[in-house]
Amino acid sequence: MKWIHRLFAHYKAYHQHGPLLLRYMSLLVLFGFPLLYLLRFTKTAPSYNDLPLRLVNVVILLGLLLRDRWPESLKRYYLPYSYAVMIITLPLTFVFTSLKNGGGPGAIGNTFMAVFLLILLADWRNMVVMLLTGFASAAVLYVLTDPDPRLPMDYVARLPVLIAAVVGGSLFKSALEQATAERVRQAYGSLAGSIAHEMRNPLTQLKHNLESMQQALPLPTVASREQAVEGAAIDELYRHVAHGELAVSRGLQVIAMTLDEVNAKPLDPAAFSYLSASDAAGKAVREYGYASELQRGRVRLEVSQDFVFKGDETAFVFVLFNLIKNALYYLPVRPQLEVVITVAEQEIRVRDTGPGMTDDVLAHVFEPFRSAGKTGGTGLGLAYCRRVMHSFGGEIGCRSVPGEHTEFAMRFPAVAAADLQAHQARLWQQATAAFAGRRVLVVDDDDTARQYTVHKLSDTGIRVDTASSAAEALALLGRTSYDLLVTDLYMPGMDGYELAARIRRGRVGHQDVPILAHSSEPGHVAEVKARKAGMDGFASKPSSQLALLLAMQRALDRHQGARRAKALAGRTVVVADDNSWNRRAVSTYLQQAGIAVVEAEHGEAVLALLRGGQSCDAVLLDIHMPGLGGYQTARALRADPPGGRRLAIVAMTARSDAAAVEAAKAAGMDDFVTKPVSAAGLYETLERLLSQAENGGGAVVAREPWVGYHRAPPAPQEALLDVDRLENYARLGLLDELVDEGLPELERLVDTLRTAVTSIDFQGCLETLHALLGMTGEVGAAALYRRVRSLYVPMLEHRRWPAEEGWESDIGALAKQTVSAVRKYRQDRQPTGVH
């Protein structure tokens, strides 16, 4: 048995990267058997009719092809099954039919074909075992089934040739595998060396910053006493920390870029935003990890005409990083080298006075794993640049004159004015909605700058107070509650950093107020210092009205998110829903907040988990589940609390009427969230319940249920899809899963509903409508959700069929329209022009 296990381990390792080879071979043989059988009618019919044997082969090969349809519990037997199928369909079948037909050239050819197919399908050990097993089984079967078994002599005479073919084919295959393995090893070695080379620059910068920080620190001592650090040294430390963070960020981007390029990973258009070309290019020039001040002095940005493009800022900045790095590579050998980045009409050009490139090099400069005139480069940088520009809908080209210059030109598609205006209007609406009725304190010692900031916020619905010093701001905070503090950093007396630090230390009554730094200090250094002081964001001076509002919104969101993440991170929540997609969506939201999630399909599974020792802080229960529903599960948990501990129980339901609220309370539930579930509302509910539990609270105080808490404004009634929800799924990386798994489930539920209506199964119809309600809400099928809800709630409350006729057909038609729209949504967001 040990020998058999070792033998099969070689076969398993041979197919460890997936059953693709087995599937292709199965497909070939599956169609080959019927076709070869039909060919016999074009010539003299053989003496043996092997149609039944061929049909058996077709059936077992179908089982091999349909692996994805196998039950999960049986998939572990797939490889042993394939082993037996290959023996039966190749050596056994071909040799048996050859013997039955008395040998001949055709029989010899068939046997050779079976041998060569097996050489491809298994390692040499298992190939020999398969051949011997198949040949022996065919001979035994022939003797048992033929009344006059005879051994064809021409068949026997070809055995030496067959053995030579097996040995030669195996040796050739082994040599080919060794050559391929060597090429892979060399490629891996080259790639690893290239990445190491690319990482050397950011790691060297990081090392330099750490060494500089050591110089700025006071002398070490074993005495337990405070040591003074000069103010200039502190600024130096912060500067080196900021530069060190940039170096680490650049290194991580090198790794990410290399992995994305090797895997041809496309950029996600759902994450694209509208960017100012001059701002984005300026950010790249400022934040590039220059090795020296000499390098920094040789890079210049010129803006002749700014424009707006749609893309990913991080990817674009890294494109410029690549082009700057390539240009500065030649500075040691060309001391007068200059790099000029020009922003012109729909174009950004990067021109250097380096050695240039010849036409034969230019022809391949954007191909992966090509590097011109450099040692140690990955050859992936320019390929990545081209892929990013194509994902933006643009192009990148290169012109060069040997000995004079090289110029890369990035051409961007124009953004329609109407699209840009609509985008800005949407951002304005979101930002002003976030601050509607809120109170903001603006702190700045410069009267003009302070009034400019107030003017920018004057027509936003925000109540603005001002302070001309940090001391005045502290006095105001002691008397008034503010939703956000916007403060300058450089102020006489107490600066913005000290102001923030005092607030966070509780020197005033509102130490949890969100704080936004608003300063002209270089961003990457100021952000590190502001974060250390307890601030939640940074906005550069000067900034436009919209840019300031968006920075304020980000600071508010970051503050709230950090507070909730701090409260929820490390918690464990059980999510119970019979719909796998609903569970997946809610689980993803929870995991984004650092919550550990345990999933269950029904109430019995929840009870089994908790009574089996699974610890958790809260349970999310779908109301309608097969077997034990949400209400029954909640009652069971309240009657017999696991471990004697009262858990927070939250209902997940599509209903928000008074009857649903009362039923949830009666079952012992603490609160409920409505489907489709909002991430922000879910966090708020869990944070409040868990906070009450920690403070010794019992059941929550009755309150009005929230619907779509902290969500964007609801879609218009005529909208087919909830685009905001779909965009959120795209950002979370769930859009493909939604299309591939969620939509088929939606179609299945519609078919189930149609069957229930046809068979006049009221309860089955009600259960299917409930499942549809949860599913449509989660997948962003806004119109279908509203239609299903308009039918489900009256049916549930009045226990009778809808009065209108053809309602199930309307749902089917709307579902079909919805599925097509979601698939088109995904298709429209696929990157185009990616190479």
Side-chain angles (χ1 to χ4, degrees):
M1 289 301 296
K2 290 182 179 179
W3 179 83
I4 294 175
H5 283 303
R6 284 199 299 270
L7 180 69
F8 186 71
H10 288 292
Y11 180 77
K12 187 176 180 180
Y14 192 82
H15 294 284
Q16 64 180 338
H17 297 298
L20 198 59
L21 184 61
L22 289 171
R23 288 184 179 180
Y24 284 157
M25 196 62 67
S26 301
L27 196 63
L28 173 67
V29 181
L30 179 68
F31 286 100
F33 274 130
L35 289 176
L36 291 174
Y37 182 81
L38 293 176
L39 286 177
R40 69 177 55 199
F41 295 106
T42 64
K43 57 186 73 174
T44 304
S47 57
Y48 172 63
N49 185 4
D50 58 357
L51 180 60
L53 183 57
R54 289 177 184 265
L55 292 177
V56 170
N57 285 332
V58 166
V59 170
I60 61 176
L61 284 168
L62 275 174
L64 207 59
L65 275 176
L66 300 178
R67 176 185 179 274
D68 293 338
R69 307 241 178 210
W70 284 35
E72 287 297 327
S73 59
L74 297 180
K75 284 186 178 179
R76 59 195 180 106
Y77 300 112
Y78 179 78
L79 284 179
Y81 176 77
S82 71
Y83 202 102
V85 168
M86 289 301 117
I87 292 175
I88 295 170
T89 56
L90 292 175
L92 191 154
T93 295
F94 281 103
V95 173
F96 176 73
T97 54
S98 298
L99 292 173
K100 293 289 285 186
N101 288 315
I108 295 170
N110 287 343
T111 304
F112 272 84
M113 182 168 63
V115 168
F116 279 113
L117 289 179
L118 273 185
I119 289 175
L120 296 176
L121 285 170
D123 62 286
W124 69 269
R125 307 168 191 80
N126 284 282
M127 181 266 298
V128 171
V129 171
M130 285 177 164
L131 285 177
L132 292 177
T133 303
F135 287 172
S137 301
V140 171
L141 186 61
Y142 172 60
V143 170
L144 294 177
T145 59
D146 198 285
D148 185 23
R150 296 180 181 181
L151 187 62
M153 296 312 297
D154 60 341
Y155 206 59
V156 176
R158 297 299 192 278
L159 282 178
V161 180
L162 180 65
I163 294 173
V166 170
V167 174
S170 299
L171 291 175
F172 176 80
K173 178 185 170 185
S174 176
L176 183 62
E177 289 177 345
Q178 290 179 10
T180 302
E182 179 61 22
R183 285 196 298 270
V184 170
R185 188 195 66 77
Q186 291 177 356
Y188 278 145
S190 175
L191 182 60
S194 299
I195 294 175
H197 173 81
E198 296 283 6
M199 290 295 295
R200 186 175 293 118
N201 183 36
L203 288 177
T204 300
Q205 294 176 44
L206 182 60
K207 182 175 182 292
H208 168 71
N209 287 312
L210 291 174
E211 290 173 346
S212 300
M213 290 168 67
Q214 290 178 1
Q215 295 296 322
L217 289 171
L219 292 174
T221 176
V222 296
S224 178
R225 59 183 175 84
E226 293 184 357
Q227 291 182 277
V229 180
E230 297 293 332
I234 292 177
D235 282 341
E236 190 74 5
L237 283 172
Y238 274 112
R239 188 171 67 85
H240 289 306
V241 168
H243 290 164
E245 285 189 352
L246 284 177
V248 172
S249 177
R250 298 294 87 83
L252 293 175
Q253 286 177 335
V254 167
I255 294 172
M257 180 273 293
T258 304
L259 293 177
D260 287 353
E261 188 60 32
V262 168
N263 297 315
K265 180 182 178 182
L267 273 70
D268 182 9
F272 288 178
S273 59
Y274 291 91
L275 305 171
S276 161
S278 62
D279 289 349
K283 180 176 182 178
V285 172
R286 289 191 305 272
E287 296 186 1
Y288 179 78
Y290 300 99
S292 63
E293 286 301 318
L294 175 63
Q295 282 194 351
R296 177 66 186 89
R298 295 305 171 87
V299 179
R300 187 171 76 253
L301 175 64
E302 296 180 352
V303 180
S304 62
Q305 183 177 350
D306 193 15
F307 62 91
V308 174
F309 68 93
K310 191 174 184 180
D312 181 89
E313 184 182 62
T314 301
F316 168 76
V317 168
F318 197 55
V319 166
L320 276 186
F321 283 169
N322 268 282
L323 299 180
I324 293 172
K325 174 176 66 69
N326 289 342
L328 292 176
Y329 178 85
Y330 297 102
L331 182 59
V333 295
R334 296 180 75 92
Q336 303 306 315
L337 180 140
E338 290 187 345
V339 183
V340 180
I341 302 172
T342 305
V343 178
E345 183 179 0
Q346 299 303 132
E347 191 174 70
I348 297 178
R349 298 187 297 272
V350 180
R351 183 185 181 97
D352 69 76
T353 56
M357 291 180 282
T358 58
D359 290 342
D360 59 325
V361 173
L362 277 175
H364 304 285
V365 73
F366 291 106
E367 295 178 8
F369 302 104
R370 292 255 186 179
S371 184
K374 300 176 184 177
T375 59
T378 61
L380 291 173
L382 291 178
Y384 177 81
C385 294
R386 182 178 65 175
R387 192 160 62 82
V388 168
M389 288 303 301
H390 284 174
S391 72
F392 293 172
E395 294 288 343
I396 182 171
C398 182
R399 298 184 294 269
S400 185
V401 177
E404 295 185 11
H405 69 266
T406 297
E407 182 178 86
F408 287 90
M410 293 174 283
R411 187 74 182 173
F412 297 82
V415 174
D419 291 344
L420 182 58
Q421 290 173 0
H423 171 71
Q424 292 175 336
R426 186 164 56 251
L427 292 179
W428 175 265
Q429 181 182 9
Q430 291 174 356
T432 53
F435 282 94
R438 292 182 183 268
R439 195 163 192 166
V440 172
L441 177 60
V442 175
V443 187
D444 201 315
D445 66 300
D446 187 301
D447 292 340
T448 302
R450 189 171 65 252
Q451 290 307 314
Y452 273 140
T453 302
V454 172
H455 178 70
K456 291 172 186 175
L457 304 178
S458 61
D459 60 343
T460 61
I462 302 173
R463 292 184 293 170
V464 182
D465 291 345
T466 62
S468 58
S469 67
E472 185 181 352
L474 287 175
L476 287 171
L477 283 166
R479 301 191 303 265
T480 309
S481 175
Y482 290 98
D483 297 291
L484 181 71
L485 178 69
V486 180
T487 181
D488 185 28
L489 294 178
Y490 282 97
M491 295 183 290
M494 187 190 311
D495 60 28
Y497 298 118
E498 187 178 352
L499 170 62
R502 289 196 181 192
I503 293 172
R504 293 296 183 242
R505 288 197 297 265
R507 298 297 175 87
V508 294
H510 305 288
Q511 68 184 86
D512 200 37
V513 62
I515 304 175
L516 173 70
H518 192 207
S519 173
S520 55
E521 187 177 357
H524 63 285
V525 177
E527 286 183 20
V528 172
K529 296 164 77 173
R531 188 167 63 244
K532 176 66 175 178
M535 299 186 188
D536 301 288
F538 176 86
S540 296
K541 281 185 182 178
S543 59
S544 67
Q545 182 185 37
L546 180 58
L548 177 59
L549 269 175
L550 292 177
M552 291 168 58
Q553 183 185 8
R554 287 193 295 270
L556 187 64
D557 292 343
R558 186 177 297 116
H559 185 80
Q560 293 175 341
R563 181 170 58 83
R564 285 177 180 154
K566 184 178 180 180
L568 295 175
R571 303 281 193 169
T572 302
V573 174
V574 174
V575 178
D577 196 313
D578 58 310
N579 186 291
S580 60
W581 172 255
N582 291 350
R583 290 198 310 272
R584 175 64 173 139
V586 173
S587 297
T588 300
Y589 290 149
L590 295 174
Q591 288 162 355
Q592 290 284 313
I595 299 173
V597 179
V598 180
E599 296 186 16
E601 296 184 9
H602 44 69
E604 289 93 338
V606 173
L607 297 180
L609 282 168
L610 297 179
R611 290 170 180 170
Q614 173 65 54
S615 63
C616 75
D617 300 284
V619 181
L620 297 178
L621 294 173
D622 182 32
I623 296 301
H624 298 283
M625 294 182 289
L628 210 60
Y631 294 145
Q632 297 94 324
T633 306
R635 291 191 188 98
L637 291 174
R638 291 295 181 239
D640 183 16
R645 179 167 168 251
R646 190 182 193 280
L647 298 172
I649 303 178
V650 181
M652 295 189 296
T653 176
R655 298 179 60 193
S656 57
D657 53 276
V661 175
E662 291 304 319
K665 289 180 181 178
M669 294 182 167
D670 296 305
D671 209 330
F672 72 95
V673 294
T674 53
K675 294 181 179 180
V677 174
S678 156
L682 184 58
Y683 298 157
E684 188 273 341
T685 300
L686 288 174
E687 180 192 14
R688 176 170 44 78
L689 293 178
L690 296 178
S691 176
Q692 287 182 355
E694 285 183 349
N695 295 329
V700 299
V701 178
R703 64 180 182 87
E704 289 298 317
W706 55 264
V707 181
Y709 184 85
H710 276 184
R711 290 188 60 199
Q717 287 298 303
E718 66 273 9
L720 181 66
L721 302 178
D722 183 349
V723 177
D724 289 339
R725 180 165 286 269
L726 292 176
E727 288 182 353
N728 189 37
Y729 284 148
R731 285 190 294 272
L732 293 174
L734 291 176
L735 186 58
D736 287 339
E737 187 174 338
L738 165 64
V739 174
D740 297 337
E741 299 181 16
L743 294 186
E745 175 64 12
L746 179 62
E747 293 172 320
R748 186 193 69 78
L749 288 173
V750 172
D751 289 340
T752 304
L753 177 66
R754 191 178 294 112
T755 301
V757 173
T758 302
S759 58
I760 319 179
D761 179 3
F762 183 85
Q763 186 59 35
C765 180
L766 203 60
E767 292 175 357
T768 306
L769 282 173
H770 167 76
L772 265 175
L773 195 60
M775 171 63 77
T776 53
E778 292 300 338
V779 303
L784 186 56
Y785 172 82
R786 291 191 297 270
R787 181 64 173 135
V788 172
R789 183 180 175 82
S790 70
L791 293 163
Y792 171 71
V793 174
M795 287 180 66
L796 184 66
E797 292 178 347
H798 304 300
R799 308 299 297 182
R800 62 171 179 262
W801 292 97
E804 59 183 294
E805 295 184 0
W807 56 270
E808 71 278 10
S809 299
D810 292 343
I811 287 182
L814 189 54
K816 184 176 181 180
Q817 186 182 0
T818 298
V819 168
S820 299
V822 174
R823 289 195 170 119
K824 185 177 185 302
Y825 175 90
R826 199 248 313 248
Q827 181 181 353
D828 291 345
R829 274 149 183 77
Q830 294 295 326
T832 57
V834 178
H835 297 275

